[in-house]
Amino acid sequence: MTVASEQLAFVFPGQGSQSIGMLRSLSEVRPEVESTFAEASEVLGLDLWRLVSEGPAEELNRTENTQPAMLAAGVAVWRIWQAESDARPAWMAGHSLGEYTALVCGGRIAFADAVQLVRMRGKLMQEAVPEGVGAMAALLSLTDEQVGHLCRELSTPDALVAAANFNAPGQVVIAGHAAAVATAVEQAKQAGAKRAMMLPVSVPSHCALMSDAAGKLRALLSSVSIAPSVVRVVHNVDVGEHPDADDLRDVLAAQLHESVRWTETVRHLVGQGVTHIVECGPGKVLAGLNKRIVPDCRSVPIHDLESFAVARELMT
């Protein structure tokens, strides 16, 4: 049977899902991929598709390059879906950076504006904390409450550590000063975490160390045109909707230093009647998380020809 729009949500991944060669099979048969990257490249003055296709990986993984590349990837997949399927979601959401992709695909921010915006977002994040000062780590099998308590017990103004991403039950990412994060990893192991590991990132996203960057980002957002809502977008900071343009600007700025509440976001979507969630972009990280959060909700990724066919078949 056909999935009604009210039952359908599209979600978009954030930084970390990028890889050399992403979307290659789709690009071989769908012109939307390279044309979308060409639009982004023109804005940036950088051949983004060549970087994604050929690397080097260390250049793609620079935050200021990763963010526009992931944005372009998600928008390209959405454009293919629009061309090939009549099914349209009533809801959208994105994990961290993916929230910008949701706003572009939902018609609120122009793609060219978003490309420039996320490039600057990446630069501001990298500049906010010198390399080596900040860190992030993943803690597995502890509850959200355990992680929150651990961070509050350890954190001080000079050695900050906080919950950054509530990704799924038993999967929380923490961020802050490198030494404090390392201490939290050891404490988490003693508290019974099955795994607690430092992540290979230099930017401690979604914690108070990003506050200065958030202020500068808010100033940039003031000059970005924001259209009225068409699709309902649920935001990371408060699991709410923000149809007012200035409220949206505030929320996007706050997102840099507030936690990503992904578990609550997905549960909220299902609570509104969503039964099918489609992840647009490289990889299938969110589809995996979503299945852990709401096992009874059908969650599928679109990142290559095979997964696109599966998602399309599911909707009809």
Side-chain angles (χ1 to χ4, degrees), residues 246-267:
D246 274 336
D247 284 348
L248 177 59
R249 294 182 179 99
D250 290 342
V251 164
L252 290 176
Q255 189 215 53
L256 274 190
H257 62 83
E258 296 286 349
S259 302
V260 174
R261 295 162 60 181
W262 190 250
T263 300
E264 292 176 82
T265 295
V266 174
R267 286 175 175 162

Side-chain angles (χ1 to χ4, degrees), residues 148-161:
H149 177 74
L150 175 66
C151 290
R152 287 190 296 273
E153 287 288 306
L154 293 176
S155 191
T156 69
D158 296 325
L160 181 141
V161 60

Side-chain angles (χ1 to χ4, degrees), residues 91-146:
W91 300 87
M92 287 185 177
H95 189 287
S96 188
L97 168 70
E99 200 164 278
Y100 289 82
T101 319
L103 291 167
V104 170
C105 297
R108 299 214 69 188
I109 299 178
F111 179 51
D113 289 342
V115 168
Q116 187 61 43
L117 188 60
V118 300
R119 180 70 178 274
M120 290 305 302
R121 180 180 184 268
K123 286 184 175 182
L124 291 171
M125 291 170 68
Q126 190 66 69
E127 292 168 358
V129 181
E131 193 162 352
V133 172
M136 301 184 78
L139 309 182
L140 306 184
S141 77
L142 298 182
T143 67
D144 293 354
E145 292 75 16
Q146 283 177 297

Side-chain angles (χ1 to χ4, degrees), residues 139 150-151 154 161 174 179-189 196:
L139 309 182
L150 175 66
C151 290
L154 293 176
V161 60
I174 59 174
V181 172
T183 299
V185 165
E186 294 308 312
Q187 293 283 337
K189 291 176 182 177

